[in-house]
Amino acid sequence: MTILVFGGNGQVGQELLRALAPLGEVVATTRSGLLPDGRACEIADFNQPDSLVALLDRVQPRTVVNAAAYTAVDKAEQDVEAAFRANAESPGVIARWSAAAGVPFVHYSTDYVFDGEGTAPYREDQPTAPLGVYGTSKRDGEDAVRAAGGRHLIFRTAWVYASHGANFLRTMLRVGAERDALRVVADQVGTPTPAALIADVTAQALQHAGGLSGTWHLTASGQTSWHGFAEAIFAEALARGVLAKVPSVEAIASSEYPTPAKRPSWSVLDNRQLQKDFGIALPSWKDGLTRVIGEIAG
């Protein structure tokens, strides 16, 4: 079975190449045609959605997984058309091809489809109300995938990080090694989720005998603030010898760290439906952090 993975150079994409390998021949794509380790792969430009059809026709995958996206949340506020081409139009093109070919399509979405005004974990069936361009483009991408009418698995996730790539954990480790004190937002709450967990759950879901189609929340379990996540990162890094010393971390309000795009203050997603439907236990975000720091330490 040929599995086509769009976005093979991203945090989730790199983990998917590992997690999906036992299921068949994995064909990766990036915009440059190169993977992070320098290997050549297929070229897929999400800034030109219609160009993706020729690639799909040539590869003829039996499963399609889309881990590519426009994720520059603040830049998207000015780069509106590019965000919608990558996050809405391109997934729609891929979903329509997949539906016509009768193959399952996995697509990833985000907590940013919600407005962050909730106080309990968001369920999959609750109304979406994105605050900015990025969230709106991802919501429209979800709608395009559903409208295509094929078998689809949309996984909404949040606060993704890994031992590789650009993410909050790696930023904290870098800055923490350079400074004695940091200020981190404490009034945004969510669930840090390792890219490896997302990839592993995707592989398990694709093997599920039920052939399910729909939208699920795929995050680790539990919740914390960015401030709480930072403190946990430093505690674990110190314990594992990744950092020789750690900075003090001052809790601040979002208003003290203004950004072009407004972030949802409450990003906790209810993942119980995924656990029930696929028989998968989603671990605590603290367990995930321990594993990722362990990778870095090792």
Side-chain angles (χ1 to χ4, degrees), residues 2 5-6 23 78 117 120 174 176 179 181 196 199 206 213 215 226 242 251 254 266 285 292:
T2 301
V5 175
F6 288 99
L23 306 188
Q78 284 72 46
E117 297 300 317
R174 175 179 54 81
R179 303 181 190 174
L206 284 171
S213 186
T215 302
W226 287 115
V242 174
S254 298
W266 177 261
W285 69 268
V292 174

Side-chain angles (χ1 to χ4, degrees), residues 74 112 115-117 131 159 183-190 225-227 250-267:
D74 290 322
Y112 278 63
D115 62 11
E117 297 300 317
L131 299 174
W159 293 29
R183 304 169 78 237
V184 180
V185 169
D187 58 359
Q188 294 175 23
V189 177
S225 66
W226 287 115
H227 176 265
E250 178 187 352
I252 64 170
S254 298
S255 58
E256 297 179 70
Y257 188 76
T259 56
K262 185 178 180 183
R263 270 72 171 164
S265 59
W266 177 261
S267 285

Side-chain angles (χ1 to χ4, degrees), residues 28-42:
T29 83
T30 66
R31 188 171 182 178
S32 68
L34 290 174
L35 291 168
D37 62 6
R39 286 181 296 153
C41 66
E42 297 285 351

Side-chain angles (χ1 to χ4, degrees), residues 5-30:
V5 175
F6 288 99
N9 57 337
Q11 293 183 92
V12 175
Q14 291 184 60
E15 296 292 347
L16 283 167
L17 302 187
R18 169 194 56 78
L20 297 176
L23 306 188
E25 178 192 3
V26 180
V27 177
T29 83
T30 66

Side-chain angles (χ1 to χ4, degrees), residues 38-202:
R39 286 181 296 153
C41 66
E42 297 285 351
I43 295 174
D45 187 356
F46 272 44
N47 202 40
Q48 300 182 52
D50 291 337
S51 70
L52 302 174
V53 174
L55 170 64
L56 288 157
D57 285 342
R58 179 164 53 79
V59 175
Q60 286 293 311
R62 301 315 301 159
T63 299
V64 181
V65 182
N66 177 34
Y70 186 111
T71 57
V73 175
D74 290 322
K75 187 179 178 184
E77 292 300 307
Q78 284 72 46
D79 204 9
V80 178
E81 292 184 359
F84 275 87
R85 282 193 295 270
N87 292 344
E89 294 177 38
S90 290
V93 168
I94 300 167
R96 289 189 290 275
W97 187 95
S98 299
V103 302
F105 177 43
V106 178
H107 178 67
Y108 300 99
S109 190
T110 173
D111 55 306
Y112 278 63
V113 301
F114 297 110
D115 62 11
E117 297 300 317
T119 55
Y122 284 107
R123 301 186 315 275
E124 289 85 349
D125 60 356
Q126 287 185 252
T128 56
L131 299 174
V133 170
Y134 169 70
T136 303
S137 68
K138 292 296 288 183
R139 181 200 60 191
D140 287 6
E142 288 186 11
D143 290 344
V145 171
R146 296 186 191 102
R151 184 192 170 200
H152 60 273
L153 296 91
I154 297 172
F155 294 126
R156 291 182 183 138
T157 190
W159 293 29
V160 181
Y161 70 99
S163 60
H164 52 81
N167 57 65
F168 182 82
L169 176 139
R170 283 171 56 86
T171 298
M172 288 298 100
L173 292 179
R174 175 179 54 81
V175 177
E178 300 168 350
R179 303 181 190 174
D180 294 325
L182 298 175
R183 304 169 78 237
V184 180
V185 169
D187 58 359
Q188 294 175 23
V189 177
T191 306
T193 302
L197 175 65
I198 296 169
D200 290 341
V201 169
T202 299

